[in-house]
Amino acid sequence: MKRVIFQPEHEAYREVVREFVTRDLAPFAERHRSEHSIDRKCWQRAGEQGLLGFFVPEGYGGAGYRDFRFNAVQGEELARLGYAYASAFGINTDIVAPYLLELTTDEQKRRWLPPYAAGRTIASIAITEPGAGSDVLGIRTTATRMGSGWVLNGSKTFTTNGSSADLIIVAAKSEADKPSRSMSLFVVEADRAKFGRGASLEKIGQTEAETSELFFDDVFVDGSSLLGEAGAGFGYIVERLAQERLSCAVAALGHARGALEETIEYVRQRSAFGQPIGSFQATRFRLADCQTMIEVATAWVDQCIDAHVHSLLTPVDAAKAKLTATEVQNKVIDHCLQLYGGYGYIKEYRIARAWQDARVTRIFGGTSEIMREIIGRSLALTDEHA
Ligand SMILES: Cc1cc2nc3c(=O)[nH]c(=O)nc-3n(C[C@H](O)[C@H](O)[C@H](O)COP(=O)(O)OP(=O)(O)OC[C@H]3O[C@@H](n4cnc5c(N)ncnc54)[C@H](O)[C@@H]3O)c2cc1C
């Protein structure tokens, strides 16, 4: 089905992203995998071509296009090369960006946005801790007032881009916060004394992206590092989760689409019993299922993108998008891998890596169980949720 949400300017942008992927990322992918990191030159090339600042206002070094369809095009195209690229760049453009655009003063914007749009600043967001992931309110990192600033203590884990990040949004509990449901957000510049990071964690997939532990041991940040109001951090996070989840959904389907196209090509070429494996009814039926699942999920996700462009996306609809798209992605890629036979199990094959990369999308950005919880609560099955 023809997708109707994109206009010519979005398709033109798709070409820009495709060119960037072909020229500036794909030739270096092997190195990114072995080094568990996307090198700074790639970030700078992305910045030079406007991929990291299209949404930043012109006065702060960007192009001023605040339209999630550009984010969607970018996420889809990056995920085709490898989901890790959508994860790493998506942290900047889809997840950190709304905090820096919406919660900052002019002075903070002047300080952080120009190098960010230019690809000189890599960003991350550190909410998850060893003891608290799904349960965001369970974090233990603290922020204590000291003079005009704050002192941070605690540790974070699973921080995407964490090993290279120059600027990290950190969630911490402060004494200003109401005990149970509140926290504050700080932008920590990585040159702060006593800030430390562990090596990038060894993952089963998405090896190009950094996933790191961060340590705050009496790290002092000045007062202007606070994002928005002290104590309002949990609300800020919740308000921005819908875009984060939509971003995961978009990339998941882009990833699945790419894998399906490559598999269709493969079953045309590969023969068994004297005929292409694509000629077997079992293959045809399996791929028909895959294409149907992707297209049906795309219809919902596109509707969510359109709703988001009009500021109408609800957390429940975003949860449905992430739940569906990531489950479809994992099913489709698993079916595709099966059609590669033994080669599907060999890491040199892109389908094997796609399968490894896909697994985490049902976990990060809110697990599938948490998505079901959000959707289930909206059904008002008990008086508590009515
Ligand atoms: C590769 C990767 C990148 C990541 N990037 C970031 C990042 O950049 N920044 C960041 O802050 N975090 C990041 N995360 C963390 C990620 O968001 C968390 O791993 C995720 O939210 C789950 O938290 P957890 O790992 O602590 O699992 P837990 O919360 O301990 O959950 C364990 C299991 O219990 C289930 N569960 C928990 N609560 C409920 C409930 N109420 N009802 C039903 N089941 C429940 C979960 O669904 C899961 O199956 C990343 C994680 C990974 C693996």
Side-chain angles (χ1 to χ4, degrees), residues 128-130 139-143 151-157 170-172 194-196 213-219:
T128 305
E129 299 185 355
I139 63 164
R140 294 212 169 148
T141 296
T142 57
V151 174
L152 303 184
N153 274 291
S155 63
K156 298 288 177 180
T157 193
V170 178
K194 300 186 183 173
F195 163 67
E213 294 171 302
L214 305 177
F215 307 105
F216 303 86
D217 179 15
D218 280 337
V219 173

mmCIF file with all atom_site columns, all heavy atoms in Angstrom, residues 128-130 139-143 151-157 170-172 194-196 213-219:
data_model
loop_
_atom_site.group_PDB
_atom_site.id
_atom_site.type_symbol
_atom_site.label_atom_id
_atom_site.label_alt_id
_atom_site.label_comp_id
_atom_site.label_asym_id
_atom_site.label_entity_id
_atom_site.label_seq_id
_atom_site.pdbx_PDB_ins_code
_atom_site.Cartn_x
_atom_site.Cartn_y
_atom_site.Cartn_z
_atom_site.occupancy
_atom_site.B_iso_or_equiv
_atom_site.pdbx_formal_charge
_atom_site.auth_seq_id
_atom_site.auth_comp_id
_atom_site.auth_asym_id
_atom_site.auth_atom_id
_atom_site.pdbx_PDB_model_num
ATOM 1   N N   . THR A 1 128 ? 18.322 4.705  33.299 1.00 0.00 ? 128 THR A N   1
ATOM 2   C CA  . THR A 1 128 ? 18.400 3.348  33.865 1.00 0.00 ? 128 THR A CA  1
ATOM 3   C C   . THR A 1 128 ? 19.613 3.186  34.781 1.00 0.00 ? 128 THR A C   1
ATOM 4   O O   . THR A 1 128 ? 20.693 3.681  34.490 1.00 0.00 ? 128 THR A O   1
ATOM 5   C CB  . THR A 1 128 ? 18.489 2.317  32.721 1.00 0.00 ? 128 THR A CB  1
ATOM 6   O OG1 . THR A 1 128 ? 17.381 2.522  31.851 1.00 0.00 ? 128 THR A OG1 1
ATOM 7   C CG2 . THR A 1 128 ? 18.468 0.897  33.244 1.00 0.00 ? 128 THR A CG2 1
ATOM 8   N N   . GLU A 1 129 ? 19.371 2.456  35.876 1.00 0.00 ? 129 GLU A N   1
ATOM 9   C CA  . GLU A 1 129 ? 20.445 2.162  36.842 1.00 0.00 ? 129 GLU A CA  1
ATOM 10  C C   . GLU A 1 129 ? 20.511 0.656  37.057 1.00 0.00 ? 129 GLU A C   1
ATOM 11  O O   . GLU A 1 129 ? 19.561 -0.059 36.683 1.00 0.00 ? 129 GLU A O   1
ATOM 12  C CB  . GLU A 1 129 ? 20.134 2.856  38.172 1.00 0.00 ? 129 GLU A CB  1
ATOM 13  C CG  . GLU A 1 129 ? 20.055 4.358  38.001 1.00 0.00 ? 129 GLU A CG  1
ATOM 14  C CD  . GLU A 1 129 ? 19.877 5.110  39.311 1.00 0.00 ? 129 GLU A CD  1
ATOM 15  O OE1 . GLU A 1 129 ? 19.709 4.456  40.380 1.00 0.00 ? 129 GLU A OE1 1
ATOM 16  O OE2 . GLU A 1 129 ? 19.921 6.344  39.265 1.00 0.00 ? 129 GLU A OE2 1
ATOM 17  N N   . PRO A 1 130 ? 21.576 0.181  37.672 1.00 0.00 ? 130 PRO A N   1
ATOM 18  C CA  . PRO A 1 130 ? 21.654 -1.268 37.906 1.00 0.00 ? 130 PRO A CA  1
ATOM 19  C C   . PRO A 1 130 ? 20.407 -1.797 38.636 1.00 0.00 ? 130 PRO A C   1
ATOM 20  O O   . PRO A 1 130 ? 19.934 -2.887 38.353 1.00 0.00 ? 130 PRO A O   1
ATOM 21  C CB  . PRO A 1 130 ? 22.918 -1.425 38.762 1.00 0.00 ? 130 PRO A CB  1
ATOM 22  C CG  . PRO A 1 130 ? 23.772 -0.248 38.368 1.00 0.00 ? 130 PRO A CG  1
ATOM 23  C CD  . PRO A 1 130 ? 22.809 0.874  38.083 1.00 0.00 ? 130 PRO A CD  1
ATOM 24  N N   . ILE A 1 139 ? 14.994 4.880  40.826 1.00 0.00 ? 139 ILE A N   1
ATOM 25  C CA  . ILE A 1 139 ? 16.415 5.273  40.711 1.00 0.00 ? 139 ILE A CA  1
ATOM 26  C C   . ILE A 1 139 ? 16.956 5.774  42.043 1.00 0.00 ? 139 ILE A C   1
ATOM 27  O O   . ILE A 1 139 ? 16.196 6.298  42.879 1.00 0.00 ? 139 ILE A O   1
ATOM 28  C CB  . ILE A 1 139 ? 16.649 6.349  39.612 1.00 0.00 ? 139 ILE A CB  1
ATOM 29  C CG1 . ILE A 1 139 ? 15.921 7.657  39.951 1.00 0.00 ? 139 ILE A CG1 1
ATOM 30  C CG2 . ILE A 1 139 ? 16.292 5.825  38.234 1.00 0.00 ? 139 ILE A CG2 1
ATOM 31  C CD1 . ILE A 1 139 ? 16.402 8.843  39.137 1.00 0.00 ? 139 ILE A CD1 1
ATOM 32  N N   . ARG A 1 140 ? 18.284 5.619  42.203 1.00 0.00 ? 140 ARG A N   1
ATOM 33  C CA  . ARG A 1 140 ? 18.894 6.006  43.480 1.00 0.00 ? 140 ARG A CA  1
ATOM 34  C C   . ARG A 1 140 ? 19.949 7.090  43.340 1.00 0.00 ? 140 ARG A C   1
ATOM 35  O O   . ARG A 1 140 ? 20.505 7.527  44.354 1.00 0.00 ? 140 ARG A O   1
ATOM 36  C CB  . ARG A 1 140 ? 19.560 4.779  44.097 1.00 0.00 ? 140 ARG A CB  1
ATOM 37  C CG  . ARG A 1 140 ? 18.546 3.733  44.475 1.00 0.00 ? 140 ARG A CG  1
ATOM 38  C CD  . ARG A 1 140 ? 19.058 3.017  45.678 1.00 0.00 ? 140 ARG A CD  1
ATOM 39  N NE  . ARG A 1 140 ? 18.006 2.191  46.240 1.00 0.00 ? 140 ARG A NE  1
ATOM 40  C CZ  . ARG A 1 140 ? 18.245 1.069  46.849 1.00 0.00 ? 140 ARG A CZ  1
ATOM 41  N NH1 . ARG A 1 140 ? 19.488 0.643  46.969 1.00 0.00 ? 140 ARG A NH1 1
ATOM 42  N NH2 . ARG A 1 140 ? 17.261 0.378  47.351 1.00 0.00 ? 140 ARG A NH2 1
ATOM 43  N N   . THR A 1 141 ? 20.296 7.467  42.128 1.00 0.00 ? 141 THR A N   1
ATOM 44  C CA  . THR A 1 141 ? 21.270 8.544  41.956 1.00 0.00 ? 141 THR A CA  1
ATOM 45  C C   . THR A 1 141 ? 20.707 9.802  42.621 1.00 0.00 ? 141 THR A C   1
ATOM 46  O O   . THR A 1 141 ? 19.522 10.100 42.484 1.00 0.00 ? 141 THR A O   1
ATOM 47  C CB  . THR A 1 141 ? 21.527 8.789  40.453 1.00 0.00 ? 141 THR A CB  1
ATOM 48  O OG1 . THR A 1 141 ? 22.127 7.606  39.936 1.00 0.00 ? 141 THR A OG1 1
ATOM 49  C CG2 . THR A 1 141 ? 22.452 9.967  40.201 1.00 0.00 ? 141 THR A CG2 1
ATOM 50  N N   . THR A 1 142 ? 21.585 10.505 43.349 1.00 0.00 ? 142 THR A N   1
ATOM 51  C CA  . THR A 1 142 ? 21.101 11.683 44.080 1.00 0.00 ? 142 THR A CA  1
ATOM 52  C C   . THR A 1 142 ? 21.750 12.965 43.564 1.00 0.00 ? 142 THR A C   1
ATOM 53  O O   . THR A 1 142 ? 22.868 12.944 43.053 1.00 0.00 ? 142 THR A O   1
ATOM 54  C CB  . THR A 1 142 ? 21.412 11.568 45.586 1.00 0.00 ? 142 THR A CB  1
ATOM 55  O OG1 . THR A 1 142 ? 22.815 11.395 45.744 1.00 0.00 ? 142 THR A OG1 1
ATOM 56  C CG2 . THR A 1 142 ? 20.654 10.421 46.228 1.00 0.00 ? 142 THR A CG2 1
ATOM 57  N N   . ALA A 1 143 ? 21.028 14.041 43.729 1.00 0.00 ? 143 ALA A N   1
ATOM 58  C CA  . ALA A 1 143 ? 21.547 15.376 43.426 1.00 0.00 ? 143 ALA A CA  1
ATOM 59  C C   . ALA A 1 143 ? 21.361 16.210 44.693 1.00 0.00 ? 143 ALA A C   1
ATOM 60  O O   . ALA A 1 143 ? 20.239 16.379 45.161 1.00 0.00 ? 143 ALA A O   1
ATOM 61  C CB  . ALA A 1 143 ? 20.771 15.985 42.276 1.00 0.00 ? 143 ALA A CB  1
ATOM 62  N N   . VAL A 1 151 ? 25.570 18.471 43.499 1.00 0.00 ? 151 VAL A N   1
ATOM 63  C CA  . VAL A 1 151 ? 26.551 17.390 43.500 1.00 0.00 ? 151 VAL A CA  1
ATOM 64  C C   . VAL A 1 151 ? 25.807 16.089 43.219 1.00 0.00 ? 151 VAL A C   1
ATOM 65  O O   . VAL A 1 151 ? 24.829 15.763 43.904 1.00 0.00 ? 151 VAL A O   1
ATOM 66  C CB  . VAL A 1 151 ? 27.282 17.317 44.862 1.00 0.00 ? 151 VAL A CB  1
ATOM 67  C CG1 . VAL A 1 151 ? 28.195 16.104 44.894 1.00 0.00 ? 151 VAL A CG1 1
ATOM 68  C CG2 . VAL A 1 151 ? 28.064 18.590 45.097 1.00 0.00 ? 151 VAL A CG2 1
ATOM 69  N N   . LEU A 1 152 ? 26.280 15.364 42.194 1.00 0.00 ? 152 LEU A N   1
ATOM 70  C CA  . LEU A 1 152 ? 25.613 14.114 41.789 1.00 0.00 ? 152 LEU A CA  1
ATOM 71  C C   . LEU A 1 152 ? 26.393 12.911 42.293 1.00 0.00 ? 152 LEU A C   1
ATOM 72  O O   . LEU A 1 152 ? 27.622 12.867 42.192 1.00 0.00 ? 152 LEU A O   1
ATOM 73  C CB  . LEU A 1 152 ? 25.508 14.023 40.272 1.00 0.00 ? 152 LEU A CB  1
ATOM 74  C CG  . LEU A 1 152 ? 24.786 15.144 39.522 1.00 0.00 ? 152 LEU A CG  1
ATOM 75  C CD1 . LEU A 1 152 ? 24.695 14.814 38.039 1.00 0.00 ? 152 LEU A CD1 1
ATOM 76  C CD2 . LEU A 1 152 ? 23.387 15.364 40.083 1.00 0.00 ? 152 LEU A CD2 1
ATOM 77  N N   . ASN A 1 153 ? 25.647 11.928 42.802 1.00 0.00 ? 153 ASN A N   1
ATOM 78  C CA  . ASN A 1 153 ? 26.242 10.666 43.246 1.00 0.00 ? 153 ASN A CA  1
ATOM 79  C C   . ASN A 1 153 ? 25.383 9.509  42.793 1.00 0.00 ? 153 ASN A C   1
ATOM 80  O O   . ASN A 1 153 ? 24.156 9.548  42.951 1.00 0.00 ? 153 ASN A O   1
ATOM 81  C CB  . ASN A 1 153 ? 26.343 10.637 44.781 1.00 0.00 ? 153 ASN A CB  1
ATOM 82  C CG  . ASN A 1 153 ? 27.613 11.303 45.262 1.00 0.00 ? 153 ASN A CG  1
ATOM 83  O OD1 . ASN A 1 153 ? 28.713 10.802 45.057 1.00 0.00 ? 153 ASN A OD1 1
ATOM 84  N ND2 . ASN A 1 153 ? 27.441 12.480 45.871 1.00 0.00 ? 153 ASN A ND2 1
ATOM 85  N N   . GLY A 1 154 ? 26.012 8.489  42.241 1.00 0.00 ? 154 GLY A N   1
ATOM 86  C CA  . GLY A 1 154 ? 25.268 7.293  41.828 1.00 0.00 ? 154 GLY A CA  1
ATOM 87  C C   . GLY A 1 154 ? 25.866 6.688  40.582 1.00 0.00 ? 154 GLY A C   1
ATOM 88  O O   . GLY A 1 154 ? 26.945 7.083  40.135 1.00 0.00 ? 154 GLY A O   1
ATOM 89  N N   . SER A 1 155 ? 25.164 5.696  40.033 1.00 0.00 ? 155 SER A N   1
ATOM 90  C CA  . SER A 1 155 ? 25.666 5.086  38.795 1.00 0.00 ? 155 SER A CA  1
ATOM 91  C C   . SER A 1 155 ? 24.504 4.770  37.872 1.00 0.00 ? 155 SER A C   1
ATOM 92  O O   . SER A 1 155 ? 23.365 4.556  38.316 1.00 0.00 ? 155 SER A O   1
ATOM 93  C CB  . SER A 1 155 ? 26.471 3.833  39.107 1.00 0.00 ? 155 SER A CB  1
ATOM 94  O OG  . SER A 1 155 ? 25.640 2.877  39.707 1.00 0.00 ? 155 SER A OG  1
ATOM 95  N N   . LYS A 1 156 ? 24.812 4.768  36.580 1.00 0.00 ? 156 LYS A N   1
ATOM 96  C CA  . LYS A 1 156 ? 23.818 4.478  35.536 1.00 0.00 ? 156 LYS A CA  1
ATOM 97  C C   . LYS A 1 156 ? 24.318 3.321  34.716 1.00 0.00 ? 156 LYS A C   1
ATOM 98  O O   . LYS A 1 156 ? 25.532 3.066  34.648 1.00 0.00 ? 156 LYS A O   1
ATOM 99  C CB  . LYS A 1 156 ? 23.646 5.711  34.632 1.00 0.00 ? 156 LYS A CB  1
ATOM 100 C CG  . LYS A 1 156 ? 23.125 6.945  35.366 1.00 0.00 ? 156 LYS A CG  1
ATOM 101 C CD  . LYS A 1 156 ? 21.658 6.798  35.737 1.00 0.00 ? 156 LYS A CD  1
ATOM 102 C CE  . LYS A 1 156 ? 21.119 7.979  36.525 1.00 0.00 ? 156 LYS A CE  1
ATOM 103 N NZ  . LYS A 1 156 ? 19.695 7.792  36.874 1.00 0.00 ? 156 LYS A NZ  1
ATOM 104 N N   . THR A 1 157 ? 23.421 2.617  34.077 1.00 0.00 ? 157 THR A N   1
ATOM 105 C CA  . THR A 1 157 ? 23.870 1.539  33.190 1.00 0.00 ? 157 THR A CA  1
ATOM 106 C C   . THR A 1 157 ? 23.064 1.539  31.903 1.00 0.00 ? 157 THR A C   1
ATOM 107 O O   . THR A 1 157 ? 22.039 2.224  31.803 1.00 0.00 ? 157 THR A O   1
ATOM 108 C CB  . THR A 1 157 ? 23.809 0.160  33.902 1.00 0.00 ? 157 THR A CB  1
ATOM 109 O OG1 . THR A 1 157 ? 24.541 -0.785 33.101 1.00 0.00 ? 157 THR A OG1 1
ATOM 110 C CG2 . THR A 1 157 ? 22.377 -0.339 34.092 1.00 0.00 ? 157 THR A CG2 1
ATOM 111 N N   . VAL A 1 170 ? 20.964 13.379 32.813 1.00 0.00 ? 170 VAL A N   1
ATOM 112 C CA  . VAL A 1 170 ? 21.001 12.444 33.944 1.00 0.00 ? 170 VAL A CA  1
ATOM 113 C C   . VAL A 1 170 ? 19.781 12.677 34.832 1.00 0.00 ? 170 VAL A C   1
ATOM 114 O O   . VAL A 1 170 ? 19.497 13.818 35.214 1.00 0.00 ? 170 VAL A O   1
ATOM 115 C CB  . VAL A 1 170 ? 22.293 12.657 34.774 1.00 0.00 ? 170 VAL A CB  1
ATOM 116 C CG1 . VAL A 1 170 ? 22.329 11.721 35.977 1.00 0.00 ? 170 VAL A CG1 1
ATOM 117 C CG2 . VAL A 1 170 ? 23.529 12.447 33.910 1.00 0.00 ? 170 VAL A CG2 1
ATOM 118 N N   . ALA A 1 171 ? 19.098 11.598 35.154 1.00 0.00 ? 171 ALA A N   1
ATOM 119 C CA  . ALA A 1 171 ? 17.961 11.686 36.079 1.00 0.00 ? 171 ALA A CA  1
ATOM 120 C C   . ALA A 1 171 ? 18.465 11.385 37.488 1.00 0.00 ? 171 ALA A C   1
ATOM 121 O O   . ALA A 1 171 ? 19.183 10.401 37.695 1.00 0.00 ? 171 ALA A O   1
ATOM 122 C CB  . ALA A 1 171 ? 16.888 10.676 35.684 1.00 0.00 ? 171 ALA A CB  1
ATOM 123 N N   . ALA A 1 172 ? 18.104 12.242 38.433 1.00 0.00 ? 172 ALA A N   1
ATOM 124 C CA  . ALA A 1 172 ? 18.562 12.049 39.818 1.00 0.00 ? 172 ALA A CA  1
ATOM 125 C C   . ALA A 1 172 ? 17.488 12.534 40.785 1.00 0.00 ? 172 ALA A C   1
ATOM 126 O O   . ALA A 1 172 ? 16.712 13.438 40.474 1.00 0.00 ? 172 ALA A O   1
ATOM 127 C CB  . ALA A 1 172 ? 19.859 12.819 40.047 1.00 0.00 ? 172 ALA A CB  1
ATOM 128 N N   . LYS A 1 194 ? 35.470 13.873 38.412 1.00 0.00 ? 194 LYS A N   1
ATOM 129 C CA  . LYS A 1 194 ? 34.919 12.718 39.145 1.00 0.00 ? 194 LYS A CA  1
ATOM 130 C C   . LYS A 1 194 ? 33.764 12.024 38.416 1.00 0.00 ? 194 LYS A C   1
ATOM 131 O O   . LYS A 1 194 ? 33.034 11.233 39.014 1.00 0.00 ? 194 LYS A O   1
ATOM 132 C CB  . LYS A 1 194 ? 34.499 13.105 40.559 1.00 0.00 ? 194 LYS A CB  1
ATOM 133 C CG  . LYS A 1 194 ? 35.666 13.651 41.374 1.00 0.00 ? 194 LYS A CG  1
ATOM 134 C CD  . LYS A 1 194 ? 35.235 13.873 42.785 1.00 0.00 ? 194 LYS A CD  1
ATOM 135 C CE  . LYS A 1 194 ? 36.351 14.494 43.594 1.00 0.00 ? 194 LYS A CE  1
ATOM 136 N NZ  . LYS A 1 194 ? 35.924 14.873 44.922 1.00 0.00 ? 194 LYS A NZ  1
ATOM 137 N N   . PHE A 1 195 ? 33.597 12.381 37.137 1.00 0.00 ? 195 PHE A N   1
ATOM 138 C CA  . PHE A 1 195 ? 32.641 11.622 36.321 1.00 0.00 ? 195 PHE A CA  1
ATOM 139 C C   . PHE A 1 195 ? 33.443 10.499 35.657 1.00 0.00 ? 195 PHE A C   1
ATOM 140 O O   . PHE A 1 195 ? 34.521 10.736 35.113 1.00 0.00 ? 195 PHE A O   1
ATOM 141 C CB  . PHE A 1 195 ? 32.013 12.534 35.253 1.00 0.00 ? 195 PHE A CB  1
ATOM 142 C CG  . PHE A 1 195 ? 31.338 11.770 34.140 1.00 0.00 ? 195 PHE A CG  1
ATOM 143 C CD1 . PHE A 1 195 ? 30.201 11.018 34.391 1.00 0.00 ? 195 PHE A CD1 1
ATOM 144 C CD2 . PHE A 1 195 ? 31.868 11.770 32.851 1.00 0.00 ? 195 PHE A CD2 1
ATOM 145 C CE1 . PHE A 1 195 ? 29.591 10.291 33.382 1.00 0.00 ? 195 PHE A CE1 1
ATOM 146 C CE2 . PHE A 1 195 ? 31.265 11.052 31.828 1.00 0.00 ? 195 PHE A CE2 1
ATOM 147 C CZ  . PHE A 1 195 ? 30.128 10.309 32.097 1.00 0.00 ? 195 PHE A CZ  1
ATOM 148 N N   . GLY A 1 196 ? 32.921 9.263  35.723 1.00 0.00 ? 196 GLY A N   1
ATOM 149 C CA  . GLY A 1 196 ? 33.659 8.142  35.131 1.00 0.00 ? 196 GLY A CA  1
ATOM 150 C C   . GLY A 1 196 ? 32.761 7.280  34.269 1.00 0.00 ? 196 GLY A C   1
ATOM 151 O O   . GLY A 1 196 ? 31.532 7.330  34.379 1.00 0.00 ? 196 GLY A O   1
ATOM 152 N N   . GLU A 1 213 ? 28.255 1.874  31.181 1.00 0.00 ? 213 GLU A N   1
ATOM 153 C CA  . GLU A 1 213 ? 27.983 2.248  32.578 1.00 0.00 ? 213 GLU A CA  1
ATOM 154 C C   . GLU A 1 213 ? 28.599 3.626  32.829 1.00 0.00 ? 213 GLU A C   1
ATOM 155 O O   . GLU A 1 213 ? 29.675 3.920  32.290 1.00 0.00 ? 213 GLU A O   1
ATOM 156 C CB  . GLU A 1 213 ? 28.652 1.243  33.522 1.00 0.00 ? 213 GLU A CB  1
ATOM 157 C CG  . GLU A 1 213 ? 28.059 -0.141 33.441 1.00 0.00 ? 213 GLU A CG  1
ATOM 158 C CD  . GLU A 1 213 ? 28.894 -1.132 34.234 1.00 0.00 ? 213 GLU A CD  1
ATOM 159 O OE1 . GLU A 1 213 ? 30.092 -1.268 33.943 1.00 0.00 ? 213 GLU A OE1 1
ATOM 160 O OE2 . GLU A 1 213 ? 28.324 -1.756 35.138 1.00 0.00 ? 213 GLU A OE2 1
ATOM 161 N N   . LEU A 1 214 ? 27.937 4.422  33.644 1.00 0.00 ? 214 LEU A N   1
ATOM 162 C CA  . LEU A 1 214 ? 28.443 5.758  33.972 1.00 0.00 ? 214 LEU A CA  1
ATOM 163 C C   . LEU A 1 214 ? 28.470 5.902  35.496 1.00 0.00 ? 214 LEU A C   1
ATOM 164 O O   . LEU A 1 214 ? 27.577 5.386  36.174 1.00 0.00 ? 214 LEU A O   1
ATOM 165 C CB  . LEU A 1 214 ? 27.531 6.843  33.388 1.00 0.00 ? 214 LEU A CB  1
ATOM 166 C CG  . LEU A 1 214 ? 27.247 6.782  31.881 1.00 0.00 ? 214 LEU A CG  1
ATOM 167 C CD1 . LEU A 1 214 ? 26.274 7.888  31.482 1.00 0.00 ? 214 LEU A CD1 1
ATOM 168 C CD2 . LEU A 1 214 ? 28.537 6.899  31.074 1.00 0.00 ? 214 LEU A CD2 1
ATOM 169 N N   . PHE A 1 215 ? 29.489 6.592  35.984 1.00 0.00 ? 215 PHE A N   1
ATOM 170 C CA  . PHE A 1 215 ? 29.646 6.720  37.435 1.00 0.00 ? 215 PHE A CA  1
ATOM 171 C C   . PHE A 1 215 ? 29.753 8.189  37.850 1.00 0.00 ? 215 PHE A C   1
ATOM 172 O O   . PHE A 1 215 ? 30.483 8.959  37.214 1.00 0.00 ? 215 PHE A O   1
ATOM 173 C CB  . PHE A 1 215 ? 30.912 5.974  37.884 1.00 0.00 ? 215 PHE A CB  1
ATOM 174 C CG  . PHE A 1 215 ? 30.923 4.539  37.405 1.00 0.00 ? 215 PHE A CG  1
ATOM 175 C CD1 . PHE A 1 215 ? 31.740 4.161  36.337 1.00 0.00 ? 215 PHE A CD1 1
ATOM 176 C CD2 . PHE A 1 215 ? 30.088 3.587  37.974 1.00 0.00 ? 215 PHE A CD2 1
ATOM 177 C CE1 . PHE A 1 215 ? 31.733 2.860  35.866 1.00 0.00 ? 215 PHE A CE1 1
ATOM 178 C CE2 . PHE A 1 215 ? 30.072 2.276  37.508 1.00 0.00 ? 215 PHE A CE2 1
ATOM 179 C CZ  . PHE A 1 215 ? 30.896 1.914  36.449 1.00 0.00 ? 215 PHE A CZ  1
ATOM 180 N N   . PHE A 1 216 ? 29.024 8.530  38.873 1.00 0.00 ? 216 PHE A N   1
ATOM 181 C CA  . PHE A 1 216 ? 29.020 9.908  39.394 1.00 0.00 ? 216 PHE A CA  1
ATOM 182 C C   . PHE A 1 216 ? 29.427 9.842  40.863 1.00 0.00 ? 216 PHE A C   1
ATOM 183 O O   . PHE A 1 216 ? 28.690 9.320  41.696 1.00 0.00 ? 216 PHE A O   1
ATOM 184 C CB  . PHE A 1 216 ? 27.618 10.520 39.260 1.00 0.00 ? 216 PHE A CB  1
ATOM 185 C CG  . PHE A 1 216 ? 27.120 10.500 37.837 1.00 0.00 ? 216 PHE A CG  1
ATOM 186 C CD1 . PHE A 1 216 ? 26.467 9.379  37.329 1.00 0.00 ? 216 PHE A CD1 1
ATOM 187 C CD2 . PHE A 1 216 ? 27.338 11.580 36.997 1.00 0.00 ? 216 PHE A CD2 1
ATOM 188 C CE1 . PHE A 1 216 ? 26.032 9.338  36.016 1.00 0.00 ? 216 PHE A CE1 1
ATOM 189 C CE2 . PHE A 1 216 ? 26.911 11.551 35.679 1.00 0.00 ? 216 PHE A CE2 1
ATOM 190 C CZ  . PHE A 1 216 ? 26.250 10.420 35.187 1.00 0.00 ? 216 PHE A CZ  1
ATOM 191 N N   . ASP A 1 217 ? 30.622 10.344 41.120 1.00 0.00 ? 217 ASP A N   1
ATOM 192 C CA  . ASP A 1 217 ? 31.171 10.228 42.463 1.00 0.00 ? 217 ASP A CA  1
ATOM 193 C C   . ASP A 1 217 ? 31.465 11.648 42.960 1.00 0.00 ? 217 ASP A C   1
ATOM 194 O O   . ASP A 1 217 ? 32.543 12.175 42.716 1.00 0.00 ? 217 ASP A O   1
ATOM 195 C CB  . ASP A 1 217 ? 32.456 9.377  42.363 1.00 0.00 ? 217 ASP A CB  1
ATOM 196 C CG  . ASP A 1 217 ? 33.135 9.215  43.695 1.00 0.00 ? 217 ASP A CG  1
ATOM 197 O OD1 . ASP A 1 217 ? 32.493 9.493  44.722 1.00 0.00 ? 217 ASP A OD1 1
ATOM 198 O OD2 . ASP A 1 217 ? 34.318 8.829  43.701 1.00 0.00 ? 217 ASP A OD2 1
ATOM 199 N N   . ASP A 1 218 ? 30.466 12.284 43.556 1.00 0.00 ? 218 ASP A N   1
ATOM 200 C CA  . ASP A 1 218 ? 30.595 13.699 43.946 1.00 0.00 ? 218 ASP A CA  1
ATOM 201 C C   . ASP A 1 218 ? 30.895 14.584 42.736 1.00 0.00 ? 218 ASP A C   1
ATOM 202 O O   . ASP A 1 218 ? 31.823 15.404 42.750 1.00 0.00 ? 218 ASP A O   1
ATOM 203 C CB  . ASP A 1 218 ? 31.718 13.882 44.990 1.00 0.00 ? 218 ASP A CB  1
ATOM 204 C CG  . ASP A 1 218 ? 31.253 13.512 46.387 1.00 0.00 ? 218 ASP A CG  1
ATOM 205 O OD1 . ASP A 1 218 ? 30.022 13.540 46.636 1.00 0.00 ? 218 ASP A OD1 1
ATOM 206 O OD2 . ASP A 1 218 ? 32.112 13.172 47.209 1.00 0.00 ? 218 ASP A OD2 1
ATOM 207 N N   . VAL A 1 219 ? 30.128 14.427 41.694 1.00 0.00 ? 219 VAL A N   1
ATOM 208 C CA  . VAL A 1 219 ? 30.312 15.229 40.478 1.00 0.00 ? 219 VAL A CA  1
ATOM 209 C C   . VAL A 1 219 ? 29.566 16.554 40.650 1.00 0.00 ? 219 VAL A C   1
ATOM 210 O O   . VAL A 1 219 ? 28.343 16.557 40.841 1.00 0.00 ? 219 VAL A O   1
ATOM 211 C CB  . VAL A 1 219 ? 29.782 14.476 39.234 1.00 0.00 ? 219 VAL A CB  1
ATOM 212 C CG1 . VAL A 1 219 ? 29.816 15.371 37.995 1.00 0.00 ? 219 VAL A CG1 1
ATOM 213 C CG2 . VAL A 1 219 ? 30.588 13.202 38.994 1.00 0.00 ? 219 VAL A CG2 1
#
